[in-house]
Amino acid sequence: MKKNILQLFLFGICMSVNAQNVIEEFKKNPSLAGSQSVVYTVPTCKYTAAPKGYTPFYLSHYGRHGSRYHNGDIYKYTYNLMKKADEEGELSTFGKEVYSKVRLLYNEANGREGDLTSIGAQQHKGIAARMYNNFPEIFAGKQTCIDARSTVVIRSILSMENALQQLSALNPKLSIRHDATEHDMYFMNYSNNEVDSIRLATKKMQRKMYAKNIKYDSLMRKLFVNEGYWHDSIDARKLTIYLFKLATHIQNSEIRKSVELLSLFTPQELYDQWVVNNAMWYIKYANASQSNQAMPKTQINLLHQIINDADSCLKLPYPSASLRYGHDTVVLPLLCLMGIDGADKNIDINGTDKHMDIDKLPDNGWCDYKYVPMACNIQLVFYRSKNYKDPVLVKVLRNEKEAHLNIATDKWPYYEWGEVKGYLMANILYN
């Protein structure tokens, strides 16, 4: 027990980070300011050996789709605004350079908004290959059965198919069932009117945060020749936000090799926009008081499915895997509901005046880009002993790294499945 308490204490120290640390991170890697748009990092860590006599035999997974083009009207809005300004002679020489880059982004993404990119496809091939190589006892045999499911969104379906293609190439003898149907959406991507209303209510909070945080005068003076034009004829704050979104999202497509916009912003300006987005991810999808701590509850159906599937597969005489492909808006509340790696923190950001103190989130180690990059995933790997009387063990991987649960263990990262199941069932029943 003392060992476990020490592990949790050291974990808390490792998670501690303040706003200045984040700004320093942005100086080294400005792409991190992209929040959920950050490209998946291939892990380099080594896994802790399983206790003697234990081997993996079942893997349960939920992962976000891979890198995609930005969805919504980001490309079209920014392109049309700058095109009009250029035609009216309002762009500076610098503005024309930025416009040419925006045009390239628009042309590449036109008609592909939200679609999986080639980088996203490779991410899931890589994750699947590492599953195979890390747990050959599950995937390399002749009898393994895989049940794969996706939400009905094409980028998720293609993420699933790329992963399955990779597994099939490594082991053609795998028995694979795959599906994407509305029938499964009650646990694969659940939503209801209450949840939707809470998320809509957060838009007012976001507008207040943007109004306080986003400074756009300096950038606008560089882009346009006449100050009156950007004051009177355009929404300067919205353009600044959209340019930031484009700049941080370029990393997800092949055009990143030839187009760069991050230099439009200083590390402090990157932080000022990121900290708002970070707060919105916390409020809309995590264990925040501002959303009545309701968001983790949206994944109760999924967690129930994960538990039931595991219990069923534990009874099989052959190894198996349950692979599920969906969205960041599922992964984050599921992390909170399961209490993985501190994602379930409830952090007081109310502040002392009408503005929320959103800097408290990074001060307490809560940074969205660590939780929900593209292709983020949760894996539960189950281990069985040669002695059938020994308890089944499970370890949790967050983005393929060994993770902590809010449960005591003297075998970390391995936990007894019976204790984990009891903890998770309590989360289902009392949330």
Side-chain angles (χ1 to χ4, degrees):
M1 179 64 73
K2 289 182 179 179
K3 181 180 178 182
N4 186 66
I5 292 172
L6 177 61
Q7 285 175 336
L8 291 174
F9 173 72
L10 292 174
F11 171 66
I13 293 175
C14 292
M15 286 293 290
S16 180
V17 61
N18 58 40
Q20 190 57 46
N21 292 147
V22 173
I23 294 173
E24 291 301 314
E25 282 194 272
F26 291 172
K27 288 179 181 178
K28 297 175 184 176
N29 183 5
S31 294
L32 291 176
S35 296
Q36 83 283 11
S37 295
V38 171
V39 168
Y40 190 76
T41 300
V42 176
T44 57
C45 54
K46 293 183 178 180
Y47 288 158
T48 305
K52 186 176 180 180
Y54 277 88
T55 55
F57 71 99
Y58 172 63
L59 188 147
S60 180
H61 156 278
Y62 189 102
R64 182 193 184 190
H65 58 76
S67 287
R68 56 163 170 76
Y69 294 99
H70 213 302
N71 51 11
D73 69 340
I74 305 291
Y75 301 102
K76 185 176 181 180
Y77 177 91
T78 311
Y79 168 71
N80 285 338
L81 186 151
M82 298 198 76
K83 180 175 183 289
K84 183 173 183 291
D86 186 48
E87 290 171 348
E88 295 175 352
E90 294 292 346
L91 290 182
S92 65
T93 300
F94 178 74
K96 289 178 181 291
E97 293 174 2
V98 173
Y99 168 50
S100 68
K101 295 179 180 180
V102 169
R103 183 170 60 245
L104 289 171
L105 293 171
Y106 169 79
N107 289 336
E108 183 200 37
N110 189 25
R112 294 173 172 157
E113 291 85 352
D115 287 353
L116 194 73
T117 66
S118 59
I119 293 174
Q122 289 303 315
Q123 286 164 351
H124 278 285
K125 287 182 178 180
I127 292 169
R130 289 188 293 277
M131 279 184 188
Y132 182 94
N133 292 324
N134 290 329
F135 310 109
E137 298 88 346
I138 297 176
F139 293 100
K142 298 179 181 179
Q143 293 183 301
T144 299
C145 290
I146 295 177
D147 181 78
R149 305 186 186 215
S150 168
T151 65
V152 293
V153 180
I154 189 63
R155 57 181 174 267
S156 298
I157 295 172
L158 290 175
S159 294
M160 174 178 70
E161 295 303 325
N162 276 278
L164 296 180
Q165 283 181 14
Q166 181 65 67
L167 290 172
S168 295
L170 291 168
N171 184 1
K173 295 181 180 179
L174 288 170
S175 174
I176 298 176
R177 174 187 180 274
H178 50 123
D179 200 5
T181 171
E182 286 288 349
H183 178 270
D184 293 340
M185 290 309 100
Y186 75 95
F187 70 88
M188 286 292 293
N189 192 19
Y190 177 76
S191 189
N192 61 28
N193 291 335
E194 179 185 0
V195 171
D196 292 341
S197 65
I198 290 174
R199 289 173 181 165
L200 282 173
T202 63
K203 288 185 178 293
K204 186 176 181 181
M205 301 180 199
Q206 187 172 25
R207 285 194 294 269
K208 286 183 178 179
M209 293 182 207
Y210 275 141
K212 181 186 178 190
N213 274 54
I214 307 304
K215 307 296 188 294
Y216 50 81
D217 292 32
S218 177
L219 178 58
M220 293 300 107
R221 291 190 180 102
K222 293 178 184 177
L223 294 175
F224 300 100
V225 292
N226 294 311
E227 190 161 331
Y229 179 81
W230 60 263
H231 267 300
D232 303 330
S233 300
I234 68 170
D235 186 335
R237 180 174 285 113
K238 184 174 181 179
L239 176 59
T240 302
I241 293 168
Y242 275 24
L243 285 170
F244 170 85
K245 289 180 182 294
L246 289 178
T248 55
H249 203 84
I250 290 172
Q251 59 189 292
N252 292 288
S253 70
E254 294 302 328
I255 207 169
R256 74 191 188 285
K257 299 173 182 178
S258 56
V259 175
E260 183 278 326
L261 288 175
L262 284 166
S263 58
L264 291 177
F265 305 94
T266 66
Q268 181 65 53
E269 289 169 338
L270 290 173
Y271 176 83
D272 290 341
Q273 292 222 42
W274 168 80
V275 75
V276 173
N277 295 331
N278 187 55
M280 293 313 301
W281 273 96
Y282 175 72
I283 292 168
K284 292 171 72 173
Y285 299 105
N287 197 29
S289 299
Q290 288 73 19
S291 51
N292 301 322
Q293 296 179 276
M295 293 302 106
K297 302 175 188 176
T298 62
Q299 302 313 313
I300 284 176
N301 292 343
L302 175 56
L303 183 54
H304 218 295
Q305 187 74 29
I306 289 171
I307 293 170
N308 289 342
D309 286 348
D311 281 344
S312 296
C313 290
L314 294 180
K315 299 174 183 177
L316 298 175
Y318 46 79
S320 58
S322 301
L323 308 180
R324 309 172 188 88
Y325 296 86
H327 307 275
D328 46 4
T329 54
V330 175
V331 173
L332 183 51
L334 182 61
L335 284 169
C336 296
L337 185 61
M338 296 179 70
I340 297 175
D341 279 351
D344 57 331
K345 290 180 182 179
N346 175 248
I347 302 168
D348 181 10
I349 58 173
N350 286 320
T352 55
D353 56 17
K354 63 181 179 179
H355 295 291
M356 285 186 286
D357 188 359
I358 56 180
D359 290 311
K360 281 189 176 180
L361 291 170
D363 284 346
N364 283 274
W366 208 97
C367 298
D368 52 11
Y369 55 81
K370 296 181 180 180
Y371 292 121
V372 286
M374 295 292 181
C376 57
N377 58 88
I378 301 169
Q379 298 179 34
L380 281 71
V381 188
F382 292 77
Y383 290 73
R384 186 158 48 193
S385 172
K386 294 178 181 178
N387 182 350
Y388 72 93
K389 293 183 180 179
D390 290 338
V392 171
L393 299 181
V394 62
K395 75 172 174 180
V396 179
L397 304 179
R398 178 177 66 83
N399 298 336
E400 301 181 79
K401 298 176 183 177
E402 293 173 338
H404 291 78
L405 296 173
N406 298 323
I407 303 172
T409 180
D410 58 0
K411 305 181 189 70
W412 187 87
Y414 300 92
Y415 299 84
E416 291 191 13
W417 170 236
E419 293 184 3
V420 173
K421 179 181 174 182
Y423 167 74
L424 297 179
M425 287 300 296
N427 284 2
I428 290 174
L429 292 173
Y430 300 114
N431 265 289

